[in-house]
Amino acid sequence: MAAPAREITLKQATEESRKVALQVSQALRTQLIREMQLSGPVRSLLVCKYTCPEILSSQSRKTGWKVAAVSLKPRNSALGMADAWEQTVLADFGRRAANGENEDALEFAEIVSEPQARYFRYARAMMMEPLCLPCHSARDKLPDPVKAQLAIDYPFDRAVDFSVGQVYGIVSIKRGF
């Protein structure tokens, strides 16, 4: 006989998801800082292109959950397009950040019913930092080499025109409940 599934509460699911989201954010930030210091903004685009998806995929495999980084203005729409739930959360986080709410409070969790099943959904804001501006500021302020690389790697890039303190995306977690 199979072991019974572990019962989990909304609070437990939120705490577990928060830990994963923080691990993802820290890993991405560490890799970006390292690459910016070593090679500058053009080479740091490789972190977004290759390392970010691998970190997310690794966490998904490790946890068995869908772990993603999405935005209303994705750099890569194939990987970073927000679904309807994520779009609602991103819009809410944007309003809350604009009203001065602390970034640590910008998280949301709930249980949702979808046609396929019930899911626990969790989102944690990713904020624009000064480190990010060489690749995400106003398009006309981006360094020419960054513009050129973005045109090659992301011809439909929308992840620009941000300023420090804005929400540029979320770490999103979806798991069966």
Side-chain angles (χ1 to χ4, degrees):
M1 177 154 74
R6 178 172 78 99
E7 290 292 320
I8 187 166
T9 66
L10 180 63
K11 181 180 178 183
Q12 290 169 319
T14 301
E15 289 170 2
E16 292 171 356
S17 297
R18 181 182 297 126
K19 286 177 188 173
V20 170
L22 288 171
Q23 288 171 357
V24 166
S25 294
Q26 288 175 323
L28 292 173
R29 190 172 192 285
T30 298
Q31 292 293 324
L32 281 169
I33 288 171
R34 188 177 133 265
E35 196 59 46
M36 285 291 276
Q37 290 172 343
L38 289 173
S39 307
V42 173
R43 296 278 301 165
S44 71
L45 288 170
L46 294 175
V47 172
C48 295
K49 187 172 184 176
Y50 298 110
T51 307
C52 178
E54 180 49 40
I55 289 169
L56 295 165
S57 177
S58 174
Q59 283 294 339
S60 292
R61 288 188 310 271
K62 186 168 132 182
T63 61
W65 312 332
K66 179 184 176 203
V67 181
V70 299
S71 175
L72 293 175
K73 295 177 8 176
R75 178 138 286 160
N76 180 348
S77 59
L79 296 176
M81 188 67 73
D83 67 19
W85 184 88
E86 293 161 335
Q87 290 173 25
T88 301
V89 171
L90 278 158
D92 179 57
F93 284 0
R95 282 189 295 278
R96 290 166 56 190
N99 288 331
E101 192 164 336
N102 184 308
E103 71 180 86
D104 291 334
L106 296 177
E107 72 173 349
F108 181 70
E110 70 176 336
I111 300 166
V112 299
S113 292
E114 295 181 7
Q116 306 89 337
R118 286 183 61 198
Y119 294 98
F120 170 79
R121 301 291 307 259
Y122 175 85
R124 182 166 192 84
M126 295 186 298
M127 305 299 289
M128 186 58 53
E129 299 180 39
L131 165 75
C132 308
L133 291 178
C135 300
H136 292 282
S137 64
R139 195 174 299 277
D140 63 343
K141 293 190 188 322
L142 295 175
D144 288 337
V146 170
K147 285 182 198 176
Q149 193 64 46
L150 287 173
I152 293 167
D153 290 338
Y154 302 104
F156 304 105
D157 177 39
R158 295 184 6 213
V160 293
D161 298 322
F162 287 103
S163 56
V164 172
Q166 287 185 306
V167 175
Y168 71 88
I170 57 172
V171 175
S172 175
I173 295 174
K174 181 177 180 178
R175 57 193 273 198
F177 197 82

